[in-house]
């Protein structure tokens, strides 16, 4: 593993808490993963082989609904939007607190992402705000299970009457009302980027209880080729443009192995989150930090904090000081509507989405990944004490 050296002196001019950077997220690859990949490299099919189907079967078990694997989470969003019928002139409602792909994927289909603010208690799409954002062009909502916590799907449905396509890139393994979260929506998209719950290097999937949605994704990922048995066993017909969004079997084999480890990954993420909450939620740090929402129903992809009180307007300083202590903090996310692309596309004057804007100005993410040790976590907490114990 490459180590990143910490470039600057710590804030007090002395030694930093860590001399190499602890990242905010990182994959866990062990000997069983290596054996799974190296063992399949001499097989006949490196793509369109049996490992993709095995990964899909495993995902269906975890998510409670059939799955179609694709080559990344962005492809999953585009394929799901397409499969749900999104097209030219349509709208979807999305929260501003998400990765760019959630909204940009609609643009590629000629549709418009319309932003709606967050529920301050969950940091997910607000049902009331979503209802206000709906028009007669709204095809569906895209709730984002931010940091691993499922949005309130039932309340979103009740408030808007629209289908839900959850961006579940953060929430593999999360539950909603006691059952797998992805089974509670019309479709959900997953990402297997290395910082996510399982990795395939790059990879993603669409999950849906509707077999036609899954079938459409499978056709789209394979050029939209339709078999044509009347003409011959070799033949296919093309009725609509498709793409190559296939996940190679090399990656799928890694995914199958990682899925076996998912229960342990989730248990460790939840344990680390509970420990952070215990260590940061009391004592002097509590005055300066707002903790994230969610309990064991969350899949805890991220542990996100907000500075408050004397440090509320000093996120940049706190961020830089933590980096100088060797803590790989990150920001998830600067609200999407503030990017020039979306400012051009909508009337997003400052204050348009006050919950997301306030969150975006004060948030930062601290390290959380399954192979992180308690000693690593203690370093994060020590650095927070050091930085937030300084004069604001
Ligand atoms: C919320 C969210 N949606 C979509 C994506 C896109 O996934 P990928 O990087 O696999 O394309 C990500 C990944 O960073 C994400 O965090």
């Amino acid at each position: 593993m490459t180590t990143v050296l910490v470039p600057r002196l710590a804030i007090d001019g002395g030694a930093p808490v860590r001399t190499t950077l602890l990242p905010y997220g990182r994959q866990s690859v062990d000997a069983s993963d290596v054996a799974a990949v190296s063992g399949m490299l001499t097989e006949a099919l490196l793509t369109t082989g049996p490992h993709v189907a095995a990964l899909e079967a495993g995902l269906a078990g975890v998510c409670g609904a059939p799955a179609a694997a694709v080559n990344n989470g962005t492809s999953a969003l585009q394929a799901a939007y397409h499969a749900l019928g999104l097209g030219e002139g349509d709208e979807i409602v999305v929260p501003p607190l998400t990765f760019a792909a959630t909204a940009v994927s609609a643009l590629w289909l000629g549709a418009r992402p319309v932003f709606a603010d967050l529920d301050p208690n969950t940091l997910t799409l607000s049902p009331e705000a979503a209802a206000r954002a709906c028009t007669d062009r709204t095809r569906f909502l895209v709730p984002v299970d931010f940091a691993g916590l499922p949005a309130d799907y039932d309340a979103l449905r009740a408030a808007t009457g629209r289908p839900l396509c959850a961006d579940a890139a953060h929430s593999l393994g999360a539950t909603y009302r006691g059952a797998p979260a992805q089974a509670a929506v019309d479709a959900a998209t997953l990402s297997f980027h290395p910082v996510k719950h399982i990795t395939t290097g790059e990879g993603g999937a669409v999950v849906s209880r509707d077999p036609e949605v899954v079938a459409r994704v499978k056709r789209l990922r394979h050029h939209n080729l339709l078999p044509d048995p009347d003409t011959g066993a070799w033949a296919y017909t093309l009725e609509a443009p498709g793409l190559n969004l296939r996940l190679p079997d090399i990656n799928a084999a890694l995914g199958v192995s990682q899925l076996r480890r998912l229960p342990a990954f989730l248990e460790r993420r939840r344990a680390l989150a509970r420990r952070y909450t215990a260590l940061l939620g009391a004592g002097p740090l509590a005055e300066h930090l707002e903790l994230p929402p969610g309990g064991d129903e969350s899949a805890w992809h991220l542990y996100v904090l907000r500075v408050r009180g004397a440090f509320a307007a000093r996120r940049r300083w706190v961020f830089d000081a933590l980096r100088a202590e060797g803590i790989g903090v990150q920001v998830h996310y600067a609200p999407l509507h503030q990017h020039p692309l979306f400012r051009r596309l909508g009337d997003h004057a400052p204050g348009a989405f006050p919950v997301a804007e306030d969150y975006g100005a004060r948030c930062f993410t601290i390290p959380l990944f399954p192979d992180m040790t308690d000693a690593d976590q203690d370093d994060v907490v020590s650095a927070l004490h050091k930085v937030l114990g300084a004069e604001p």
Side-chain angles (χ1 to χ4, degrees):
M1 182 81 57
T2 314
T3 50
V4 181
L5 294 177
V6 174
R8 278 159 295 180
L9 288 176
I11 46 157
D12 58 0
V17 170
R18 294 175 68 99
T19 50
T20 56
L21 198 73
L22 180 71
Y24 82 88
R26 183 164 71 198
Q27 71 276 14
S28 170
V29 172
D30 73 3
S32 69
D33 299 313
V34 173
V37 175
S38 59
M40 70 76 62
L41 283 172
T42 47
E43 288 178 8
L45 295 173
L46 297 185
T47 189
T48 66
H51 297 275
V52 170
L55 176 63
E56 290 170 345
L59 289 169
V62 173
C63 299
V70 290
N71 56 354
N72 58 60
T74 303
S75 298
L77 284 162
Q78 289 177 9
Y81 293 176
H82 168 79
L84 290 169
L86 193 70
E88 200 72 37
D90 290 339
E91 294 176 355
I92 56 170
V93 174
V94 300
L97 181 62
T98 183
F99 183 60
T102 317
V104 171
S105 296
L107 298 177
W108 286 111
L109 293 166
R112 196 166 90 90
V114 176
F115 294 110
D117 209 356
L118 310 172
D119 176 336
N121 298 315
T122 62
L123 302 176
T124 60
L125 190 60
S126 150
E128 295 73 33
R132 284 194 297 275
C134 282
T135 71
D136 54 10
R137 292 169 176 235
T138 308
R139 294 298 293 256
F140 50 86
L141 316 180
V142 187
V144 176
D145 298 340
F146 178 68
L149 183 65
D152 191 346
Y153 307 137
D154 289 348
L156 287 165
R157 274 204 197 89
T160 67
R162 297 305 204 287
L164 305 180
C165 177
D167 184 334
H170 294 189
S171 63
L172 180 63
T175 57
Y176 181 73
R177 301 197 188 286
Q182 290 80 36
V185 285
D186 299 275
T189 63
L190 301 168
S191 162
F192 310 135
H193 178 276
V195 296
K196 301 298 194 306
H197 294 84
I198 63 163
T199 192
T200 56
E202 296 278 359
V206 177
V207 175
S208 177
R209 287 169 308 178
D210 180 348
E212 188 45 34
V213 168
V214 174
R216 273 189 219 133
V217 172
K218 287 185 177 176
R219 282 201 296 274
L220 181 73
R221 78 176 174 193
H222 192 52
H223 306 281
N224 251 327
L225 305 186
L226 297 175
D228 184 5
D230 293 343
T231 308
W234 70 89
Y236 54 80
T237 55
L238 257 186
E239 287 181 7
L243 290 163
N244 178 352
L245 307 178
R246 294 191 301 264
L247 182 73
D249 276 59
I250 305 169
N251 305 66
L254 177 57
V256 171
S257 177
Q258 290 261 300
L259 262 189
R260 278 190 216 112
R261 303 179 60 209
L262 178 66
F265 290 161
L266 287 165
E267 199 181 307
R268 181 67 185 147
R269 285 180 176 278
R270 288 179 174 131
L272 287 164
R274 280 195 295 270
R275 190 159 181 267
Y276 265 143
T277 299
L279 292 169
L280 305 178
L285 287 178
E287 185 190 329
H288 302 306
L289 294 174
E290 215 170 311
L291 305 191
D296 280 357
E297 76 279 33
S298 174
W300 288 106
H301 166 50
L302 302 173
Y303 197 91
V304 292
L305 294 171
R306 277 162 281 179
V307 278
R308 66 174 167 195
F311 286 97
R314 305 204 63 201
R315 191 263 310 271
R316 171 84 186 262
W317 183 87
V318 170
F319 184 100
D320 290 344
L322 286 166
R323 280 279 176 102
E325 295 292 346
I327 308 302
V329 284
Q330 191 49 274
V331 165
H332 297 95
Y333 299 92
L336 272 190
H337 67 282
Q338 295 174 336
H339 287 282
L341 169 64
F342 293 111
R343 279 210 304 264
R344 277 201 304 278
L345 293 174
D347 178 17
H348 302 140
F353 306 104
V355 181
E357 287 166 34
D358 171 64
Y359 176 85
R362 296 192 292 120
C363 68
F364 65 103
T365 303
I366 55 177
L368 178 69
F369 54 93
D371 286 351
M372 188 173 160
T373 64
D374 284 5
D376 291 331
Q377 192 173 34
D378 289 340
D379 284 347
V380 179
V381 176
S382 299
L384 284 165
H385 274 289
K386 196 166 161 187
V387 167
L388 297 171
E391 267 320 293

